[in-house]
Structure formats: structure tokens, C-alpha cells
Amino acid sequence: MYFSKLFVPTSRQDPSEAELISHKLMIRSGMIKKTAAGIYNWLPFGLKVLKKVETIVRTNLNNFGAQEILMPMVQPAELWKESERYDQYGKELLKFQDRSERDFVLGPTHEEIMCEIFRSYAISYKDLPINMYQIQTKFRDEIRPRFGVMRAREFLMKDAYSFDIDSSSMEKSYVNMKNAYISIFNDIGLDYRIVKADAGNIGGDVSEEFHILADSGEDLLAISDSSEFAANVEVLNYDKDPSELDGSKSPDGKGKLRIKRGIEVGHIFQLGQKYSEKMSANLKDSSGKDINVYMGCYGIGVSRIVAASIEQNHDDKGIIWPYSIAPFHVNVICLDPSKEEVLKECESVYQILKDAGHEVLLDDRDIRAGNKFTENEILGIPFSIVIGPRNYANNKYEFNSRKTNEKLELNIDEIKQILEEQK
RNA sequence: CGGGGCAUAGCGCAGUCUGGUAGCGCACCUGGUUUGGGACCAGGUGGUCGCAGGUUCAAAUCCUGCUGCCCCGACCA
């Protein structure tokens, strides 16, 4: 992609609306643009990152046996009345009417629709387990949306639902999804923790959260320094200031608790029969008896991961993308594109790397060098290659790492080698 | 929903107290000089001062009502 053809409206000033660093940087790097409180546009650069996260999520879930579907965002209120969440869910549930005054809601989650799908077919216990997911825009009318896409009203979520014949197979489905999540978050490559969690108003007995660690995280996590114990402090029923937990004995008796801040990006639940009872999502077991299906549900805040990544990885110059979700892998910075021989050399390097399967940006804009360097840093592209009149005839190129700030003189094969190792 | 703040050019802001021809920086456009770390000089475009009423000879400025946005809290993936 040629930079001159990309719409990336960067800004050198912090927006007045933003407080959080990820929010500021997402606006300054031209990734997002707000339309209303908690409602955002994803511009080309931001969308590239969002799609990267989406692809990692999709690929892993498919590998772990889940099947992608797409459910409607607009849902009839009747289903929500049936599950009794029409009144319970609270004002976060956006309600409205169509032209003939029928009640609808804008989907904040899809247990009701999922049950409706399940119960409308004659499904045998032999068909189970079934696990279906979607990656879709959700709407929750937050009391106070804030921090950009971190806590938006409209946001991109992956939600998955598993169906099993009994409790023990539901647990197997749950563990399978937990493993899928571990694989997803390992692939993304951010520092994360899995903690015991409060199931909140989704319901169910067992639930765990995936948190990306960051000092700005809204959740406090209590993590043992010498065992597997890790929990959201919400579940500890501790009546004092949670920061006092730091250094106290771990509930499992092993080691001391350390308090860390996290951003919740995934939450998995064993729902049991909570929804299937209310919604009559049944099937027959091997003895012919009607059973309410055992469900699990599994969420990932896809758009939130983008912001959380920036919270965890940035410096005073801008974003630092992990290779896995970077909008581009390498930026070929052409310092004087008006000189034909320089531009030719840049295009040649660009093409070679592209042909080798890397995602390359060519900054061919006829602007000052400093602007290109500074924007490259704000945008956080992992590697850059600087080619100018001074060094274009060389067979060595200036190769820079955004993360380490390292500057190397490398030939094209050495560069290919390094990029190959990142995959 | 309670408390606090803000709304003036694309962005960031001053001007409001004390009413009297709407300004600054950045961005953008023209020309020139520059050209490896957000260049410089000269010129230029761009505003129903959030909206609706009111007071006044005169309102960005004073009064009333409304709307939107931000922060703190309660709440929540």
C-alpha cells in the first residue's frame, strides 16, 4: 500500500475529548473518529488492526471446532420477555419500536436468539456438542461510555455459545473454549492473565475472565506469586480497600497475593440450564427424556483488544504494535520520492518484501523527512526501512525497530530473514 | 441519575467578568527558499460564536430554556 493513497488523518495535537493514552493515540493516528458518545467510526488504519484481531480470533475458534454464524442485531422484545431479561437487564438494553409499534431491542448479547435457533430444530443428543459463534457489532447503552473504544456503547464482540447434553460435557466444551482463548491470546502476543470472575447478569456458576495487563486497567486482579491462583478482586468478598490485599496470603494457602490492573477482554461462562429452562431449549437424551440443553457462552471484546494493546504497548512517541496485529509489518520510508532513482529503489524493496508475503507500506509522500519519521512512530509500525538520496545506491538498507529503537544496516536478504522470524 | 466542567474556523485555544466591526497557533490553498527528525518567508481560503427565545440602539459576551460532549461517582463485557 502506498501511503499517499491511504486516508490516515493523523494529528499532532492531543484531542480534547480523550483522557486515556490509547484513546488519544487512536485519534491522533487516524484510526477512529467519534460520531456520538461511545459510538465510533473505524477509519482505514484502525480497521486494518481490528480485522487482524478478528482474523486471529476466527482462525483459532475454527481450529477448535466452533462454527461461525451471524445473528441479527435487531431482536424482537418477546424473546427477551421470555428469558425475563427484558426488565432485568436494565437501561443498558436499548429498546425501540418498528413502524407498526412492535417492540424490539438492539442486541447487547445473543443468548435468547441462540436458544431460539436451537429449539426450532429437532436436534438429537447425538448431534452434540455444538458450538457456534459470531463476530458482530453489539450495542449496550452504557451509563457512561468512556475511554474511546475501550468502553463504547457500540462495539465489536465475538460471542460464542456451546450446547451439551449434560453438565460434564458442558465442562468439556468450556475447557475446549478456554484452550481456544489461550491460543488466541498467545497468538496476539499481549501479556494477559486468566482470573476467576463474577458471572454478573449473564448468569451461571463458573466463569473466568481474560485480562490484558495494563496500569490503566479498570479491574483489580489478585494474583498469587507462587501458585495458579488468580481472581478478579470482585469475587474475593473483601470489604476493605482492595489495594490492601497486596502482599496478603493467597486464599489457596500458597504464596502471597500481588495486585495488578487488567483490562477485561474475554469472559467465559458455564451457563448450565439457566436460559434453556426459561426458553425451553430442549432435546431428548438417549432414554428419550426431554432435557434442557446445557449451555456455555464465551465473549471476546474484539475492539477493546485494539485499545488494550495500545495501553500495554506504547511510548512517548506513539503506538508500538505487536507484530501479530500491526496494520503493516514494515514501512519503507522514501525520503525523496521526487527523485526518480530513489523512488525506484524504494519501490523495488517494497515489491520484493510484498512478494515474500509481508505487509508493506511505502511512504511515498512528498513531505519532509521529519514528518514521516514522526508519523511512523505515532502509527507504531514494527519495522521501517529508510531509503534516501544518501543511501539508495547501497545494497545495504537502514532497518529500524520501532520497539527496540535499534538501527541496523542490512541487505535485503537479511531483512527478509528478520521479517520471516516474526511470523 | 447526583456532582463538576466545556461548547467560538478542520483541530487546539483566547475573547465572555466589564455588551460596541470575531482573534491566535496548527492544519489547508498560492508563490518562493528549503529538504535525514513535525522548516522558513510572503500572501490567501475558511465562522449562523451548540440551538431556541428574551433584554438592548447594539449580544460570542447579559437573562431563560433546551441539546450535545468531557471528567468524578454509582453501574457495567
Side-chain angles (χ1 to χ4, degrees), chain A residues 37-38 92 140-147 151-153 218:
Chain A
E92 278 191 30
R140 296 182 186 174
D141 200 358
E142 288 281 335
I143 294 168
R144 184 150 87 87
R146 60 188 123 171
F147 306 143
R151 178 174 297 287
R153 292 195 290 174
E218 289 190 90

Side-chain angles (χ1 to χ4, degrees), chain A residues 238 328 365:
Chain A
Y238 192 76
F328 293 94
R365 296 172 301 167

Side-chain angles (χ1 to χ4, degrees), chain A residues 8-9 27 30 37 59 67 74 83 133 169 195 201 245 268 294 309-310 328 333 347 370 390 399 403 410:
Chain A
V8 188
I27 292 169
T59 305
Q67 305 171 63
V74 173
S83 72
Y133 73 96
S169 41
V195 302
N201 80 17
L245 279 167
I268 56 179
Y294 284 75
S309 172
I310 298 172
F328 293 94
I333 300 177
E347 285 175 326
R390 206 192 269 176
F399 185 78
K403 189 173 182 178
L410 301 177

Side-chain angles (χ1 to χ4, degrees), chain A residues 371-408:
Chain A
N371 285 284
K372 295 189 187 186
F373 294 145
T374 310
E375 284 199 9
N376 180 63
E377 282 155 354
I378 291 172
L379 295 174
I381 299 168
F383 299 104
S384 61
I385 299 169
V386 180
I387 299 174
R390 206 192 269 176
N391 66 351
Y392 78 94
N394 210 331
N395 62 357
K396 296 245 178 186
Y397 301 99
E398 179 185 320
F399 185 78
N400 305 286
S401 162
R402 175 69 182 87
K403 189 173 182 178
T404 65
N405 227 4
E406 208 176 1
K407 190 178 280 194
L408 299 169

Side-chain angles (χ1 to χ4, degrees), chain A residues 72-81 86 93-108 113:
Chain A
M73 187 183 182
V74 173
Q75 308 181 11
E78 277 173 35
L79 289 175
W80 284 75
K81 288 174 180 165
Y86 191 69
L93 183 64
L94 184 66
K95 302 167 179 174
F96 62 98
Q97 294 186 324
D98 70 4
R99 63 200 298 162
S100 31
E101 298 181 349
R102 280 182 288 248
D103 292 325
F104 285 87
V105 305
L106 223 42
I113 298 274

